């Protein structure tokens, strides 16, 4: 886990396309503000096909633990599959057509977040997010896999051959089924008239309950409103309990934040740790109670048909530690008690099928 910036990409022997964090966050905010609430009704799992949905995720549509409300709404998108080739082009449960609102085709216009405030762009919201931002996040994922491959094997491309693919459009390639989600975390009770203010405040404690990410890497671009917290173990000899530590945002410096996921941890023998983390709802400010936090979270996965290590061979400590082993339909408190059906085939589960099942578990 850590921050990735422009200098990091050059050090890994590659270069990234130009990327404006401010334009990406402005586009993410415009996506929600320009769309009427009655249009934000996409199901996170398509009830007809069982595929993991694209488009808007209503307020409270997902939660990592049963009985816990997560105060956020979202928008999911990914690889731009051709609508005309829908039946033949979609090859697994994680591939789905993007569902952009009409307003996403309009020019973004003003950029008003950080360093770029006051500038404008003629690019549309869809172009900024679905093309420019997505391309950068995928490129960061590939560059980091090359770096990890050097560390694991002394061969920059071994893990590229084993985990990725030669071309983004190849069957089962990460780029075809990676999932990007824009999240809008609320502290505000505005527009939630069905709840009294005190109830809304209690429900708004978490934007995301404690969990580990299931995949290979998670790449994050966000505004600088704090909220992400990592669970930190006590220093050697210090004793005491584990505590959550707030990550100091540095996105205004042009950096991205990267978490290792459960897949990376398992495949590295826990050398690279998938950190337990949570997202708190934005804290109210003295002169502003309706505070929001916007983030773009890219789940970078390996090839769909890569096999996970045999689950029953994993030590109990890892099975209790990582969310990929938990049946999150049954979790009541954000803990990680392993579920019998969490990953399907226990011997050699297919990673892509496992991830599709996990997204189904957290749909509420």
């Amino acid at each position: 886990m850590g921050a990735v910036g422009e200098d990091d990409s050059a050090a890994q022997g590659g270069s990234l396309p130009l990327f404006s964090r401010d334009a990406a966050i402005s586009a993410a905010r415009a996506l929600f503000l320009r769309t009427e609430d009655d249009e934000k009704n996409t199901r996170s799992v398509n009830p007809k096909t069982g595929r993991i949905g694209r488009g808007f995720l209503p307020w409270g549509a997902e939660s990592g633990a049963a009985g816990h409300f997560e105060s956020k709404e979202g928008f999911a998108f990914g690889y731009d599959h051709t609508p005309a080739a829908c039946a033949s082009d979609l090859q697994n449960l994680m591939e789905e057509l993007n569902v952009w609102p009409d307003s996403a085709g309009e020019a973004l216009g003003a950029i008003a977040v950080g360093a770029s405030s006051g500038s404008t762009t003629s690019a549309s919201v869809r172009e900024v997010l679905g093309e420019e931002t997505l391309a950068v996040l995928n490129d960061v994922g590939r560059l980091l896999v090359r770096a990890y491959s050097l560390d694991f094997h002394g061969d920059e491309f071994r893990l590229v051959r084993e985990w990725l693919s030669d071309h983004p459009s190849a069957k089962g390639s990460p780029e075809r089924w990676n999932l990007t989600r824009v999240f809008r975390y609320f502290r505000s009770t505005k527009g939630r008239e069905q709840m009294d203010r005190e109830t809304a405040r209690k429900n708004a404690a978490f934007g995301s309950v404690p969990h580990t990410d299931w995949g290979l890497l998670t790449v994050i671009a966000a505004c600088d409103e704090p909220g992400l917290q990592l669970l930190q173990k006590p220093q050697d000899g210090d004793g005491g309990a584990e505590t959550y530590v707030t990550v100091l945002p540095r996105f205004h410096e042009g950096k991205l934040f990267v978490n290792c996921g459960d897949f990376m941890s398992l495949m590295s023998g826990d050398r690279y740790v998938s950190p337990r983390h949570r997202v708190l709802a934005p804290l109210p400010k003295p002169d502003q109670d309706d505070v929001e936090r916007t983030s773009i979270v890219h789940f970078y996965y390996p090839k769909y048909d890569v096999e996970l290590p045999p689950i029953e061979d994993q030590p109990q400590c890892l099975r209790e530690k990582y969310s990929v082993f938990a049946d999150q339909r049954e979790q009541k408190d954000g803990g990680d008690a392993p579920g019998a059906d969490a990953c399907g085939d226990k011997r050699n589960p297919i990673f892509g099928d496992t991830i599709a099942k996990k997204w189904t578990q957290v749909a509420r």
Side-chain angles (χ1 to χ4, degrees):
M1 61 188 174
V4 175
E6 294 176 1
D7 293 341
D8 304 84
S9 65
Q12 294 176 45
S15 60
L16 298 179
L18 292 176
F19 172 65
S20 167
R21 187 281 312 230
D22 291 349
I25 296 302
S26 289
R29 290 177 174 173
L31 192 63
F32 295 107
L33 296 176
R34 294 180 181 180
T35 306
E36 298 296 329
D37 283 348
D38 59 4
E39 296 181 61
K40 302 175 183 178
N41 56 5
T42 312
R43 300 287 293 274
S44 57
V45 179
N46 188 318
K48 294 182 179 179
T49 65
R51 296 183 184 278
I52 306 306
R54 302 292 188 271
F56 284 103
L57 305 171
W59 188 57
E62 290 183 343
S63 175
H68 282 259
F69 184 89
E70 294 186 349
S71 185
K72 65 187 177 189
E73 63 179 345
F75 182 86
F77 65 96
Y79 183 85
D80 195 14
H81 295 276
T82 305
C86 178
S88 60
D89 196 40
L90 304 180
Q91 299 166 346
N92 55 64
L93 291 175
M94 288 294 296
E95 295 186 10
E96 182 61 290
L97 299 179
N98 288 323
V99 184
W100 295 93
D102 291 341
S103 61
E106 301 171 1
L108 176 58
I111 299 173
V113 178
S116 299
S117 295
S119 61
T120 62
T121 177
S122 60
S124 69
V125 170
R126 179 174 179 173
E127 289 170 334
V128 171
L129 292 177
E131 297 177 17
E132 298 170 8
T133 302
L134 183 59
V136 169
L137 299 179
N138 276 324
D139 284 348
V140 168
R142 279 192 171 255
L143 286 169
L144 288 174
V145 169
R146 287 164 56 184
Y148 285 121
S149 187
L150 276 173
D151 183 47
F152 290 163
H153 304 295
D155 178 347
E156 183 177 352
F157 294 100
R158 177 170 171 176
L159 292 182
V160 174
R161 293 189 295 269
E162 293 178 0
W163 292 354
L164 308 184
S165 61
D166 294 332
H167 195 277
S169 63
K171 181 179 180 180
S173 70
E175 286 80 3
R176 286 181 61 95
W177 73 286
N178 285 344
L179 191 61
T180 305
R181 291 192 163 190
V182 180
F183 290 121
R184 182 188 186 193
Y185 297 96
F186 292 99
R187 165 62 63 177
S188 171
T189 58
K190 184 178 180 181
R192 314 300 175 193
E193 292 82 0
Q194 72 275 23
M195 302 171 63
D196 65 76
R197 195 171 185 81
E198 183 60 28
T199 300
R201 284 187 179 278
K202 290 179 180 178
N203 282 344
F206 283 115
S208 294
V209 298
H211 66 284
T212 59
D213 292 340
W214 314 314
L216 174 54
L217 298 168
T218 304
V219 188
I220 303 170
C223 67
D224 284 314
E225 185 68 35
L228 176 63
Q229 293 188 323
L230 301 180
L231 185 63
Q232 188 174 73
K233 295 182 178 180
Q235 298 294 323
D236 292 341
D238 286 354
E242 297 177 322
T243 56
Y244 278 98
V245 177
T246 300
V247 175
L248 179 65
R250 297 177 62 186
F251 299 109
H252 64 284
E253 298 177 12
K255 294 184 179 293
L256 301 171
F257 190 84
V258 180
N259 269 346
C260 288
D262 297 346
F263 176 86
M264 171 63 85
S265 181
L266 293 170
M267 300 303 281
S268 69
D270 212 29
R271 177 175 178 176
Y272 287 97
V273 176
S274 176
R276 174 168 286 277
H277 57 284
R278 65 187 185 185
V279 179
L280 299 184
L283 295 174
K285 298 179 181 179
D287 58 344
Q288 184 182 5
D289 192 40
D290 295 344
V291 182
E292 297 181 4
R293 180 175 183 269
T294 305
S295 66
I296 302 168
V297 182
H298 182 64
F299 298 101
Y300 190 78
Y301 297 135
K303 289 186 293 187
Y304 190 91
D305 59 2
V306 169
E307 292 184 351
L308 280 167
I311 293 173
E312 60 190 34
D313 293 347
Q314 301 302 313
Q316 187 68 19
C317 61
L318 290 187
R319 296 180 65 178
E320 294 178 353
K321 180 179 180 180
Y322 291 137
S323 296
V324 73
F325 294 131
D327 188 340
Q328 291 175 274
R329 295 169 300 183
E330 305 299 330
Q331 287 178 250
K332 301 297 183 183
D333 59 0
D336 272 342
D341 297 324
C343 297
D345 181 0
K346 286 190 174 183
R347 280 308 304 169
N348 294 100
I350 299 300
F351 180 76
D353 291 340
T354 298
I355 294 302
K357 192 164 191 174
K358 295 301 297 181
W359 283 116
T360 301
Q361 289 176 6
V362 299
R364 306 299 174 196

